[in-house]
Amino acid sequence: MEQEHFNESIYNEEILEDLKKNRIDHMTYLPGMEVLRSDIMDRVVTAAKNYDCGRYTEGDVRRALAHDNRTPEDFAALLSPAALPLLEEIAQEARRETRKHFGNSVNMFTPLYIANYCANYCIYCGFNCHNKINRAKLTPDQIRLEMEAIAKTGLQEILILTGESREKSDVAYIGEACKIAREYFKVIGLEIYPMNSDEYAYLHKCGADYVTVFQETYNSDKYESLHLAGHKRIFPYRINAQERALMGGMRGVGFGALLGLDDFRKDAFATGIHAYLLQRKYPHAEIAFSCPRLRPIINNDRINPMDVHEPQLLQVVCAYRLFMPFASITVSTRECARVRDNLVNIAATKISAGVSTGIGEHSDEIKTKGDDQFEISDGRSVDEVYHALLEHELQPVMNDYVYV
Ligand code: SF4
């Protein structure tokens, strides 16, 4: 395992100022980045800019609830402040919709961080390249040890994460991890740096099924101010990542705004419209949503999810469900056990378990470790989450996909 140690506990204002002065244009592609002829980014960004959540009334929300197939306008109403007093009715309807399409099933998986090197400077994230944390990258043998340990818990789906450093975690390295994962798991997801469609095609060939990319915020001005360095700074390259992944043959794509970075209603609206437009363009695509709220990170405890409280989080999750009834919705360990159990009872269909966001923490044989990306709120084991689902009369599902 490669490893770097830091003992310093600082949040470097000097570096921040320097980066702010030397920022590159976040709307201009860098050499080597694939440019798509796609109008999806413009349509999503325009829709989000024009979304005026204050103009919706209780009547609009009730009309949206009454519809069988909900339009973007219905979705906008369901996300508006006017919908909050109707949250109980909205949750009941979301629950009916979830049970209609998914029965009682809830998919289980775990994320596996194989590296925490990152070349980006996202000021809200513990992995950012200037944050002084212990960095590590697993060797293929260590990846195998981690996967063996996870597979023993009974899980059959894994989400591989790397941090976003092309230099430290190149496409071949991630491909090797996918090949090893294929020996232990039925479903393999990736949450890695955005890449070109031919690279996604390669990783699909190595065994990857789906790709999740968090846009964080769809407000390009805000995005620019939060992503000060690295490839992630290039807004259009990130926003088109899901489309390139589908062009590369991935079966599914995941979407998520980091709720609390900016106006969460606009960001949730943009996330839904982004998924909706891609679903129309690629009808075969399996669509998934994540609903992460900001979490505190090492060396910066000032970071918090602003005005996204539990009712607002529930509102967003329900609005996704009612707008795109077939989409998978994941609830992460950023939320506590009580909130997660509540969300899978209503609208979420996928839950992680036995989670660590650090490096090398599943296998006892790996002695050197890398620091966590963020603090988790639900540390339950696979077994504990499994039994909690049963107690709620839900059906834990390890795998719902069969290769022929
Ligand atoms: S959010 Fe992702 S890209 Fe940004 S610093 Fe964290 S790991 Fe790196």
Side-chain angles (χ1 to χ4, degrees), residues 103-393:
N104 279 359
S105 66
V106 178
N107 281 80
M108 291 180 67
F109 76 105
T110 209
L112 173 62
Y113 286 71
I114 60 172
N116 65 359
Y117 287 93
C118 191
N120 294 315
Y121 192 15
C122 313
I123 61 174
Y124 50 82
C125 175
F127 279 2
N128 82 57
C129 60
H130 292 294
N131 201 19
K132 306 298 184 189
I133 62 168
N134 295 321
R135 303 276 174 181
K137 172 185 165 184
L138 299 178
T139 64
D141 284 346
Q142 291 171 324
I143 291 173
R144 183 177 292 283
L145 285 173
E146 289 282 86
M147 289 183 178
E148 260 172 20
I150 292 167
K152 278 187 191 149
T153 66
L155 290 175
Q156 295 182 25
E157 174 170 344
I158 198 163
L159 174 65
I160 298 172
L161 298 96
T162 56
E164 297 197 13
S165 168
R166 253 185 194 270
E167 190 194 332
K168 292 286 187 182
S169 309
D170 62 17
V171 176
Y173 172 70
I174 299 168
E176 278 315 297
C178 292
K179 287 179 195 167
I180 299 167
R182 194 43 90 202
E183 295 175 35
Y184 296 95
F185 301 99
K186 300 270 175 27
V187 180
I188 300 166
L190 294 175
E191 200 176 311
I192 52 177
Y193 49 86
M195 50 185 61
N196 293 345
S197 57
D198 59 338
E199 295 170 314
Y200 282 126
Y202 172 72
L203 294 180
H204 180 54
K205 215 169 110 195
C206 292
D209 297 291
Y210 68 90
V211 168
T212 291
V213 182
F214 289 176
Q215 184 61 31
E216 322 295 13
T217 175
Y218 285 79
N219 174 345
S220 129
D221 291 342
K222 185 74 177 191
Y223 185 95
E224 184 276 329
S225 71
L226 295 170
H227 303 98
L228 296 177
H231 281 203
K232 185 168 178 178
R233 185 164 166 76
I234 310 304
F235 182 85
Y237 189 66
R238 193 165 190 91
I239 214 171
N240 285 322
Q242 284 93 345
E243 185 161 7
R244 294 192 305 276
L246 291 172
M247 289 164 60
M250 292 290 174
R251 203 173 84 213
V253 282
F255 301 80
L258 187 47
L259 303 172
L261 276 183
D262 195 46
D263 178 336
F264 78 91
R265 295 184 197 282
K266 274 187 187 281
D267 274 334
F269 182 66
T271 306
I273 297 299
H274 190 183
Y276 170 80
L277 292 175
L278 270 183
Q279 180 82 92
R280 286 167 69 106
K281 191 167 176 181
Y282 300 88
H284 65 279
E286 291 177 17
I287 299 293
F289 291 108
S290 298
C291 313
R293 291 193 289 173
L294 275 178
R295 296 287 305 149
I297 63 171
I298 297 171
N299 302 335
N300 190 349
D301 56 11
R302 287 173 292 172
I303 285 181
N304 265 307
M306 300 209 300
D307 50 357
V308 192
H309 306 290
E310 282 177 32
Q312 287 82 2
L313 178 67
L314 177 60
Q315 183 187 6
V316 169
V317 174
C318 290
Y320 287 156
R321 169 61 60 232
L322 293 170
F323 182 43
M324 296 193 65
F326 296 101
S328 162
I329 301 179
T330 303
V331 50
S332 94
T333 49
R334 289 170 185 261
E335 304 301 335
C336 68
R338 179 185 52 77
V339 170
R340 297 178 92 211
D341 289 354
N342 190 36
L343 289 176
V344 289
N345 255 314
I346 296 170
T349 50
K350 200 164 178 178
I351 189 165
S352 52
V355 172
S356 157
T357 68
I359 312 296
E361 293 186 341
H362 294 277
S363 167
D364 294 337
E365 292 181 51
I366 301 174
K367 300 298 173 212
T368 44
K369 315 282 183 186
D371 278 337
D372 293 18
Q373 185 181 28
F374 56 85
E375 293 171 17
I376 62 171
S377 297
D378 180 3
R380 287 178 297 175
S381 67
V382 172
D383 211 40
E384 286 169 322
V385 173
Y386 186 97
H387 284 98
L389 291 174
L390 291 179
E391 273 167 30
H392 286 97
E393 300 185 345

Side-chain angles (χ1 to χ4, degrees), residues 27-40:
M27 297 304 284
T28 303
Y29 284 84
L30 295 173
M33 288 182 168
E34 181 179 3
V35 181
L36 296 189
R37 289 178 191 281
S38 172
D39 63 352
I40 288 196

